[in-house]
Amino acid sequence: MPLIINCSENCIYQEEGVCNLKHATYSSGTPLKDCPYFKEKPKDKNRS
Ligand code: SF4
């Protein structure tokens, strides 16, 4: 069963509020700003 990580960062791995990066793991809490996997989404048409 996959680990669900809630995330609201503007990250390429984030989709519908959930992290889709399978191997992303946290040791504690939700250090979204400190996520080592964070990659900013290209500013396309993701936001209306
Ligand atoms: S990789 Fe990190 S910043 Fe990106 S969606 Fe997952 S938890 Fe959020």
Side-chain angles (χ1 to χ4, degrees):
M1 152 174 178
L3 176 63
I4 302 300
I5 300 176
N6 294 314
C7 182
S8 56
E9 296 299 306
N10 185 37
C11 173
I12 60 171
Y13 300 117
Q14 190 264 110
E15 199 170 291
E16 297 184 359
V18 174
C19 177
N20 281 291
L21 187 62
K22 301 290 192 292
H23 60 269
T25 54
Y26 290 148
S27 51
S28 65
T30 54
L32 301 180
K33 291 286 195 281
D34 299 322
C35 179
Y37 306 107
F38 173 79
K39 273 184 189 276
E40 187 172 12
K41 274 181 182 172
K43 292 181 173 67
D44 260 0
K45 52 189 176 183
N46 290 313
R47 289 164 188 266
S48 51

Coordinates of all heavy atoms in Angstrom, one line a residue:
M1 N 0.9 -1.2 0.0 CA 0.0 0.0 0.0 C 0.9 1.2 0.0 O 1.8 1.4 0.8 CB -0.9 -0.1 1.2 CG -1.4 1.2 1.8 SD -2.5 0.8 3.1 CE -2.9 2.4 3.7
P2 N 0.6 2.1 -0.9 CA 1.5 3.3 -1.1 C 1.4 4.2 0.0 O 0.3 4.4 0.7 CB 1.0 3.9 -2.4 CG -0.4 3.5 -2.5 CD -0.5 2.1 -1.9
L3 N 2.5 4.9 0.3 CA 2.5 5.9 1.3 C 1.9 7.2 0.7 O 2.3 7.7 -0.3 CB 3.9 6.2 1.7 CG 4.1 7.3 2.7 CD1 3.4 7.0 4.0 CD2 5.6 7.5 3.0
I4 N 0.8 7.7 1.4 CA 0.2 8.9 0.9 C 0.8 10.1 1.6 O 0.7 10.2 2.8 CB -1.3 8.8 1.1 CG1 -1.9 7.6 0.4 CG2 -2.0 10.1 0.6 CD1 -1.7 7.6 -1.1
I5 N 1.3 11.0 0.8 CA 1.8 12.2 1.4 C 1.0 13.4 0.9 O 0.9 13.6 -0.3 CB 3.3 12.4 1.0 CG1 4.1 11.3 1.5 CG2 3.8 13.7 1.6 CD1 5.5 11.3 1.0
N6 N 0.3 14.0 1.8 CA -0.4 15.2 1.4 C 0.5 16.4 1.2 O 1.4 16.6 2.1 CB -1.4 15.6 2.5 CG -2.5 14.5 2.7 OD1 -3.1 14.1 1.7 ND2 -2.8 14.2 3.9
C7 N 0.4 17.0 0.1 CA 1.3 18.1 -0.2 C 0.6 19.2 -1.0 O -0.2 18.8 -1.9 CB 2.5 17.6 -0.9 SG 3.7 18.9 -1.3
S8 N 0.8 20.4 -0.7 CA 0.2 21.5 -1.5 C 1.2 22.4 -2.1 O 0.9 23.5 -2.5 CB -0.8 22.3 -0.6 OG 0.0 22.8 0.5
E9 N 2.4 21.9 -2.2 CA 3.4 22.6 -2.9 C 3.2 22.7 -4.4 O 2.6 21.8 -4.9 CB 4.8 22.0 -2.6 CG 5.2 22.0 -1.1 CD 5.3 23.4 -0.6 OE1 6.0 24.3 -1.2 OE2 4.6 23.7 0.4
N10 N 3.7 23.7 -5.0 CA 3.6 23.8 -6.5 C 4.8 23.0 -7.1 O 5.7 23.5 -7.7 CB 3.7 25.3 -6.9 CG 3.5 25.4 -8.4 OD1 2.7 24.7 -9.0 ND2 4.2 26.3 -9.0
C11 N 4.6 21.7 -6.9 CA 5.7 20.8 -7.2 C 5.2 19.8 -8.4 O 4.0 19.5 -8.4 CB 6.0 20.0 -6.0 SG 7.2 18.6 -6.2
I12 N 6.1 19.5 -9.2 CA 5.8 18.6 -10.3 C 5.2 17.3 -9.9 O 4.6 16.6 -10.6 CB 7.0 18.4 -11.3 CG1 8.1 17.7 -10.5 CG2 7.4 19.7 -11.9 CD1 9.2 17.3 -11.5
Y13 N 5.6 16.9 -8.7 CA 5.1 15.6 -8.2 C 3.8 15.6 -7.5 O 3.2 14.6 -7.1 CB 6.2 15.0 -7.2 CG 7.5 14.8 -7.8 CD1 8.6 15.5 -7.4 CD2 7.7 13.9 -8.9 CE1 9.9 15.3 -7.9 CE2 8.9 13.8 -9.5 CZ 10.0 14.5 -9.0 OH 11.2 14.3 -9.6
Q14 N 3.4 16.8 -7.2 CA 2.1 17.0 -6.5 C 0.9 17.0 -7.5 O 0.9 17.6 -8.5 CB 2.1 18.3 -5.7 CG 1.0 18.4 -4.8 CD -0.2 19.2 -5.3 OE1 -1.3 18.6 -5.6 NE2 0.0 20.5 -5.6
E15 N -0.1 16.2 -7.1 CA -1.3 16.1 -7.9 C -2.5 16.0 -7.0 O -2.6 15.1 -6.2 CB -1.2 14.9 -8.8 CG -2.1 15.0 -10.0 CD -1.8 13.8 -11.0 OE1 -0.7 13.9 -11.7 OE2 -2.6 12.9 -11.1
E16 N -3.3 16.9 -7.2 CA -4.6 17.0 -6.4 C -4.3 16.9 -4.9 O -5.0 16.2 -4.2 CB -5.5 15.8 -6.8 CG -6.0 16.0 -8.3 CD -7.0 15.0 -8.7 OE1 -7.3 14.1 -7.9 OE2 -7.4 15.0 -9.9
G17 N -3.3 17.5 -4.5 CA -3.0 17.6 -3.1 C -2.2 16.5 -2.5 O -2.0 16.4 -1.3
V18 N -1.8 15.6 -3.4 CA -1.1 14.4 -2.9 C 0.3 14.2 -3.7 O 0.3 14.5 -4.9 CB -1.9 13.1 -3.1 CG1 -1.1 11.9 -2.8 CG2 -3.2 13.2 -2.3
C19 N 1.3 13.9 -3.0 CA 2.5 13.6 -3.6 C 2.5 12.3 -4.4 O 2.2 11.3 -3.9 CB 3.6 13.6 -2.5 SG 5.3 13.3 -3.2
N20 N 3.0 12.4 -5.6 CA 3.0 11.2 -6.4 C 4.4 10.6 -6.6 O 4.6 9.7 -7.3 CB 2.5 11.5 -7.8 CG 0.9 11.6 -7.8 OD1 0.3 10.5 -7.7 ND2 0.4 12.7 -8.0
L21 N 5.3 11.2 -5.9 CA 6.7 10.7 -5.9 C 6.7 9.5 -5.0 O 6.7 9.6 -3.8 CB 7.6 11.8 -5.5 CG 9.1 11.4 -5.6 CD1 9.5 11.1 -7.1 CD2 10.0 12.5 -5.1
K22 N 6.8 8.3 -5.5 CA 6.7 7.1 -4.8 C 7.8 6.9 -3.7 O 7.5 6.4 -2.6 CB 6.7 5.9 -5.7 CG 5.7 5.9 -6.8 CD 4.3 5.6 -6.2 CE 3.3 5.3 -7.3 NZ 3.0 6.5 -8.1
H23 N 8.9 7.4 -4.0 CA 10.0 7.1 -3.1 C 10.2 8.3 -2.1 O 11.2 8.3 -1.4 CB 11.3 6.8 -3.8 CG 11.8 7.8 -4.8 ND1 11.4 7.9 -6.1 CD2 12.6 8.9 -4.6 CE1 11.9 8.9 -6.7 NE2 12.7 9.6 -5.8
A24 N 9.3 9.3 -2.2 CA 9.5 10.4 -1.2 C 9.1 9.9 0.2 O 8.0 9.3 0.4 CB 8.6 11.5 -1.6
T25 N 10.0 10.1 1.1 CA 9.7 9.7 2.4 C 10.1 10.8 3.4 O 11.0 11.5 3.2 CB 10.4 8.4 2.8 OG1 11.8 8.6 2.6 CG2 10.0 7.2 2.0
Y26 N 9.3 10.9 4.4 CA 9.6 11.8 5.5 C 10.0 11.1 6.7 O 9.4 10.1 7.1 CB 8.4 12.7 5.7 CG 8.1 13.7 4.6 CD1 6.8 14.0 4.4 CD2 9.1 14.2 3.8 CE1 6.5 14.9 3.3 CE2 8.8 15.1 2.8 CZ 7.5 15.4 2.6 OH 7.2 16.3 1.6
S27 N 10.9 11.7 7.4 CA 11.3 11.1 8.7 C 10.4 11.7 9.8 O 10.2 11.1 10.8 CB 12.7 11.4 9.0 OG 13.0 12.8 8.9
S28 N 9.8 12.9 9.6 CA 9.0 13.5 10.6 C 8.1 14.6 10.0 O 8.5 15.3 9.2 CB 9.8 14.0 11.7 OG 10.6 15.1 11.2
G29 N 6.9 14.6 10.5 CA 6.0 15.7 10.2 C 5.8 15.9 8.7 O 5.8 15.0 7.9
T30 N 5.5 17.2 8.3 CA 5.3 17.5 6.9 C 6.1 18.7 6.5 O 5.7 19.8 6.3 CB 3.8 17.8 6.7 OG1 3.4 18.9 7.6 CG2 2.9 16.6 6.9
P31 N 7.4 18.4 6.4 CA 8.4 19.5 6.1 C 8.3 19.8 4.6 O 9.3 19.6 3.9 CB 9.7 18.9 6.5 CG 9.5 17.4 6.3 CD 8.1 17.1 6.5
L32 N 7.2 20.2 4.1 CA 7.0 20.4 2.7 C 8.1 21.4 2.1 O 8.6 21.1 1.1 CB 5.6 20.9 2.4 CG 4.5 20.0 2.9 CD1 3.2 20.6 2.6 CD2 4.7 18.6 2.3
K33 N 8.3 22.4 2.8 CA 9.2 23.4 2.3 C 10.7 22.9 2.3 O 11.5 23.3 1.6 CB 9.2 24.7 3.2 CG 7.9 25.5 3.1 CD 7.9 26.2 1.8 CE 6.8 27.3 1.8 NZ 5.5 26.8 1.6
D34 N 10.9 21.9 3.1 CA 12.2 21.3 3.2 C 12.3 20.0 2.4 O 13.3 19.3 2.5 CB 12.5 21.0 4.6 CG 12.5 22.3 5.5 OD1 13.0 23.3 4.9 OD2 12.1 22.2 6.6
C35 N 11.3 19.7 1.6 CA 11.3 18.5 0.9 C 12.5 18.4 -0.1 O 12.6 19.3 -0.9 CB 10.0 18.3 0.1 SG 9.9 16.8 -0.9
P36 N 13.3 17.4 0.0 CA 14.4 17.3 -0.9 C 14.1 17.0 -2.3 O 15.0 17.0 -3.2 CB 15.2 16.1 -0.2 CG 14.2 15.3 0.5 CD 13.1 16.3 0.9
Y37 N 12.8 16.6 -2.5 CA 12.4 16.2 -3.9 C 11.7 17.3 -4.6 O 11.3 17.1 -5.7 CB 11.6 15.0 -3.8 CG 12.2 13.8 -3.1 CD1 11.7 13.5 -1.8 CD2 13.3 13.1 -3.6 CE1 12.3 12.4 -1.1 CE2 13.9 12.1 -2.9 CZ 13.4 11.8 -1.7 OH 14.0 10.7 -1.0
F38 N 11.5 18.4 -3.9 CA 10.7 19.5 -4.5 C 11.2 20.0 -5.8 O 12.4 20.3 -5.9 CB 10.6 20.6 -3.5 CG 9.9 21.8 -4.1 CD1 8.5 21.9 -4.1 CD2 10.6 22.9 -4.5 CE1 7.8 23.0 -4.7 CE2 10.0 24.0 -5.1 CZ 8.6 24.0 -5.2
K39 N 10.3 20.0 -6.8 CA 10.7 20.6 -8.0 C 9.5 21.5 -8.5 O 8.4 21.0 -8.6 CB 10.9 19.6 -9.1 CG 12.3 19.1 -9.2 CD 12.5 18.1 -10.3 CE 13.8 17.4 -10.3 NZ 14.9 18.2 -10.9
E40 N 9.8 22.8 -8.7 CA 8.7 23.7 -9.0 C 8.1 23.3 -10.3 O 8.8 23.0 -11.3 CB 9.2 25.1 -9.0 CG 8.0 26.1 -9.2 CD 8.5 27.5 -9.0 OE1 9.7 27.8 -8.9 OE2 7.7 28.4 -8.9
K41 N 6.8 23.4 -10.4 CA 6.1 23.1 -11.6 C 6.3 24.3 -12.6 O 6.3 25.4 -12.2 CB 4.6 23.0 -11.4 CG 4.1 21.7 -11.0 CD 2.5 21.7 -10.8 CE 2.0 20.4 -10.3 NZ 0.6 20.5 -9.9
P42 N 6.5 23.9 -13.8 CA 6.5 25.0 -14.8 C 5.2 25.7 -14.9 O 4.2 25.1 -14.7 CB 6.8 24.2 -16.2 CG 6.4 22.8 -15.9 CD 6.6 22.6 -14.4
K43 N 5.3 27.0 -15.0 CA 4.1 27.8 -14.9 C 3.3 27.8 -16.2 O 3.5 28.6 -17.0 CB 4.4 29.3 -14.5 CG 5.0 29.4 -13.1 CD 5.3 30.8 -12.7 CE 5.6 30.9 -11.2 NZ 6.9 30.1 -11.0
D44 N 2.6 26.8 -16.4 CA 1.8 26.6 -17.6 C 0.3 27.0 -17.3 O 0.0 28.1 -17.0 CB 1.9 25.2 -18.1 CG 2.9 25.1 -19.2 OD1 3.5 26.1 -19.6 OD2 3.1 24.0 -19.7
K45 N -0.5 26.0 -17.4 CA -1.9 26.2 -17.2 C -2.4 25.4 -16.1 O -3.5 24.9 -16.1 CB -2.7 25.9 -18.5 CG -2.3 24.5 -19.0 CD -2.9 24.3 -20.4 CE -2.5 23.0 -21.0 NZ -3.0 22.7 -22.3
N46 N -1.6 25.2 -15.1 CA -2.0 24.4 -14.0 C -2.9 25.1 -13.1 O -3.8 24.6 -12.4 CB -0.7 24.0 -13.2 CG 0.1 23.0 -13.9 OD1 -0.4 22.0 -14.5 ND2 1.4 23.2 -14.0
R47 N -2.8 26.4 -13.0 CA -3.7 27.2 -12.2 C -4.5 28.1 -13.1 O -4.0 28.7 -14.0 CB -2.8 28.1 -11.2 CG -2.2 27.2 -10.2 CD -1.1 27.9 -9.5 NE -0.4 27.0 -8.6 CZ -0.6 26.9 -7.3 NH1 -1.6 27.6 -6.8 NH2 0.1 26.1 -6.6
S48 N -5.8 28.2 -12.7 CA -6.7 29.1 -13.5 C -7.0 30.3 -12.8 O -6.7 30.4 -11.6 CB -7.9 28.3 -13.9 OG -8.5 27.7 -12.8
Ligands
SF4_1 S1 8.2 15.7 -3.8 FE1 8.0 16.8 -1.9 S2 7.3 18.9 -2.5 FE2 7.0 17.5 -4.2 S3 4.8 16.9 -4.0 FE3 6.1 15.4 -3.0 S4 6.2 16.0 -0.9 FE4 5.5 17.7 -2.1

